[in-house]
Amino acid sequence: MNNVGEKIRGIRTLKGLSQENMAEMLGLSLPTYAEIERGKKDVTISRLEKIAEKLGVTLNDILNFNKRVANFFDQCDTPQVVAGVNNGGQSQTTNNYDARELQHQNEKLQLELKLLQAEKEKAEMEARYLKEKYEKVDNK
C-alpha cells in the first residue's frame, strides 16, 4: 500500500464499510470516491481529515497505516513447537499456543481476508467500468 488511497481502502475494509457507504457519508459520488481509493484523484488535507473522521481514525492513523499494521504483526508471537518427554519416555511435540497467540493469528487472518475482499471489490469495480466503457464505444 504505497498511496493514501490504498491506505484509506485498507482502513475502510477493516471497519467493514463499503465504498458506497463512504461515498454517501462524504457526500461524494461512488465513482469519485472510488477514484480516491485508486489514487486517481488527488485528495486535499481537508477532505482527508473528513475521511478520517468518517472512518473514526485520525489523519495520522491513515498516513501511518502500513507502519501500524506491520508493527501489529511484528508483535504477534509465532507458535513455538517445544519438544518434550511424556511419562513413557517417548518424545512428544507439544504446541505452545496460548489464547493470546491464537487471537493474534485469528486477527491476522481476518485482516488478510478483508484485504483480499477489498482487492476483489476493486477488481470487480474496474471490470464493470471497463465493460461500460467498451459498451459505449461499441454503441457509437
Side-chain angles (χ1 to χ4, degrees):
M1 285 187 226
N2 294 330
N3 69 47
V4 172
E6 289 176 340
K7 294 175 183 186
I8 292 169
R9 183 192 58 185
I11 295 170
R12 173 187 58 79
T13 303
L14 291 174
K15 296 282 187 171
L17 297 169
S18 68
Q19 285 187 331
E20 292 86 358
N21 297 137
M22 286 300 296
E24 185 178 321
M25 288 190 294
L26 295 165
L28 300 172
S29 69
L30 178 58
T32 298
Y33 180 77
E35 285 181 347
I36 290 171
E37 284 194 3
R38 286 195 311 268
K40 303 289 183 187
K41 187 166 191 70
D42 289 333
V43 184
T44 62
I45 293 296
S46 61
R47 173 147 302 151
L48 197 54
E49 287 173 336
K50 189 171 183 181
I51 291 170
E53 176 188 324
K54 298 300 180 186
L55 289 170
V57 298
T58 66
L59 185 57
N60 193 38
D61 290 333
I62 291 175
L63 297 176
N64 292 311
F65 179 69
N66 295 349
K67 188 181 292 183
R68 288 177 181 241
V69 170
N71 288 343
F72 173 78
F73 289 125
D74 287 343
Q75 292 172 1
C76 293
D77 293 329
T78 55
Q80 297 176 354
V81 178
V82 179
V85 177
N86 67 14
N87 291 336
Q90 298 173 335
S91 177
Q92 168 183 334
T93 302
T94 58
N95 291 326
N96 191 16
Y97 288 102
D98 64 11
R100 185 175 177 96
E101 290 172 323
L102 290 174
Q103 181 180 6
H104 286 305
Q105 287 182 355
N106 184 30
E107 290 169 354
K108 178 181 176 183
L109 291 172
Q110 287 177 356
L111 286 170
E112 289 174 4
L113 177 62
K114 288 183 180 188
L115 289 173
L116 288 172
Q117 288 170 336
E119 290 291 332
K120 177 185 174 211
E121 180 181 304
K122 178 182 174 184
E124 288 172 343
M125 181 175 288
E126 289 175 347
R128 284 193 304 269
Y129 169 77
L130 291 172
K131 180 181 176 187
E132 291 174 8
K133 180 180 176 180
Y134 288 110
E135 285 176 352
K136 289 178 184 178
V137 170
D138 289 342
N139 291 334
K140 288 185 180 181

